[in-house]
Amino acid sequence: MRADARRNYDRLLAEARAVFAEHGTDASLEDVARRAGVGIGTLYRHFPNRHALMGAVFEDAVDELLSRAGELRSAPEPCRALLTWLHEVVVHAAAYRGLSRALLSASAASDLARCGTPMREAGAALLTRAQEAGAVRADVQIADLLQLIHAIALAVEESPEDPDLVNRLLTLTLKGLKPEQP
């Protein structure tokens, strides 16, 4: 990539992060381009659609969440590790209004959906560990758990005045994940 194209790309990502944080993922792409000091055509040359831009914007956060999952795989309490990671996923998703909705509706081939594959794999490793420790029911699947997490993120996004909502909903979810006691 030429130096000027790289600068444009970097400015577009920085401004998209700011605009998405301020106005949500449905924010105007024209506004992103204008704030980056480029035309809308330049934005579309780098990112052919909204999901491509969103995928690039959230790539760093996904990398952080994947790294965090790697750290938590060796935590002494597998269930606590899973819950910690899920909490961090919810907090990240809720920080950008509309991100969870976009992830849930993204087609499998989109740039945004490709972020989901490594997230599912990272979450599955934590879930399997918690299941092997007997702390989570064996019939729980990572796809279902991530759907619940996105639903929690949507609820949190709609209730910013309730800072404890994440913890309450995750606690309810965790209680449903535990194996039944005889």
Side-chain angles (χ1 to χ4, degrees):
M1 196 180 290
R2 292 184 342 240
D4 61 330
R6 185 58 161 160
R7 279 191 302 275
N8 288 342
Y9 180 89
D10 292 342
R11 278 198 316 262
L12 284 163
L13 281 180
E15 292 304 330
R17 275 188 197 97
V19 169
F20 290 166
E22 286 174 44
H23 305 290
T25 58
D26 289 334
S28 162
L29 296 185
E30 288 81 5
D31 187 35
V32 171
R34 184 177 36 72
R35 286 176 60 162
V38 301
I40 191 68
T42 299
L43 183 144
Y44 282 117
R45 272 192 298 283
H46 289 286
F47 309 101
N49 55 51
R50 181 178 298 276
H51 281 177
L53 177 60
M54 289 169 59
V57 164
F58 301 123
E59 188 175 330
D60 290 342
V62 167
D63 288 346
E64 288 174 21
L65 290 168
L66 294 175
S67 175
R68 184 70 170 126
E71 294 168 10
L72 290 167
R73 271 198 300 266
S74 60
E77 295 179 47
C79 191
R80 172 68 46 208
L82 175 63
L83 186 60
T84 298
W85 188 73
L86 293 174
H87 184 274
E88 291 173 14
V89 171
V90 170
V91 168
H92 165 69
Y96 294 95
R97 194 174 63 250
L99 176 58
S100 283
R101 191 175 336 278
L103 285 168
L104 289 170
S105 67
S107 71
S110 78
D111 292 306
L112 188 56
R114 276 184 278 200
C115 294
T117 300
M119 290 289 287
R120 278 189 299 282
E121 291 169 356
L126 292 170
L127 173 60
T128 298
R129 222 174 136 243
Q131 288 169 322
E132 289 170 351
V136 174
R137 295 181 357 212
D139 63 337
V140 175
Q141 297 178 14
I142 193 59
D144 296 338
L145 190 51
L146 289 174
Q147 289 278 13
L148 281 170
I149 294 310
H150 286 299
I152 291 171
L154 287 170
V156 169
E157 178 182 304
E158 295 298 320
S159 303
E161 72 287 345
D162 187 352
D164 294 327
L165 185 59
V166 172
N167 291 327
R168 286 197 320 273
L169 293 177
L170 278 174
T171 298
L172 277 172
T173 300
L174 183 61
K175 287 181 181 183
L177 296 175
K178 291 193 182 260
E180 291 183 28
Q181 300 298 320

